[in-house]
């Protein structure tokens, strides 16, 4: 069973940077996309970014392209989300999640049913003030 531990988050002013980390364990032989969703009250869940574990396929929401970068350290089983140029609209609860994928990559991350995630964290709050 996949288990994820998330760290990072916090409060910054607009234009600032934050990095989220997500360490995983218990992965099986399946391919997994690992990434982040964010939840804003009244707006539901938004797929922010994801990366194919051990691969190169990535996904970025249009709203974060050019500002966020997702990467991974295989030796540490850790995925990182570097967020720069943060905007107030980036404020939300960010949670790391893992989804087993049958093939291809993570291009459909934003269509994942969050009720069927293989694993997720409780989330960390990111607050960006103007």
């Amino acid at each position: 069973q996949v288990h994820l531990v998330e760290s990072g988050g916090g409060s910054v002013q607009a234009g600032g940077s934050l990095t989220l980390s997500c360490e995983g364990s218990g992965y099986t032989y399946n391919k997994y996309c690992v990434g982040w969703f964010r939840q804003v009250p009244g707006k539901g869940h938004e797929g922010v970014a994801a990366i194919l574990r051990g691969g190169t396929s990535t996904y970025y929401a249009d709203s974060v392209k050019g500002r966020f970068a997702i990467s991974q350290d295989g030796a540490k089983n850790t995925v990182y989300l570097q967020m720069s140029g943060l905007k107030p609209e980036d404020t939300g609860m960010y949670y790391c999640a893992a989804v087993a994928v049958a093939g291809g990559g993570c291009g459909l991350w934003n269509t994942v049913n969050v009720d069927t995630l293989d694993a997720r964290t409780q989330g960390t709050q990111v607050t960006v003030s103007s």
Side-chain angles (χ1 to χ4, degrees):
Q1 185 174 358
V2 179
H3 180 63
L4 303 173
V5 177
E6 181 178 20
S7 59
S11 299
V12 293
Q13 290 190 324
S17 301
L18 287 172
T19 298
L20 305 181
S21 301
C22 181
E23 182 178 1
S25 61
Y27 290 110
T28 67
Y29 56 85
N30 291 323
K31 291 184 180 292
Y32 290 89
C33 285
V34 182
W36 276 267
F37 292 87
R38 65 186 177 193
Q39 187 174 12
V40 178
K43 293 188 177 181
H45 303 260
E46 178 188 14
V48 177
I51 190 166
L52 183 66
R53 183 172 174 267
T56 58
S57 173
T58 58
Y59 166 84
Y60 292 99
D62 287 342
S63 58
V64 306
K65 283 180 181 177
R67 300 187 296 121
F68 290 14
I70 193 165
S71 61
Q72 61 185 325
D73 184 333
K76 297 181 179 180
N77 263 332
T78 300
V79 176
Y80 304 94
L81 183 66
Q82 294 175 288
M83 307 182 290
S84 59
L86 284 162
K87 303 176 181 180
E89 50 264 43
D90 293 317
T91 294
M93 181 68 72
Y94 285 67
Y95 61 94
C96 180
V99 178
V101 292
C106 303
L108 298 179
W109 182 254
N110 62 318
T111 66
V112 168
N113 183 345
V114 297
D115 293 326
T116 62
L117 300 170
D118 289 88
R120 60 162 290 176
T121 62
Q122 287 195 329
T124 185
Q125 180 67 32
V126 171
T127 302
V128 184
S129 58
S130 56

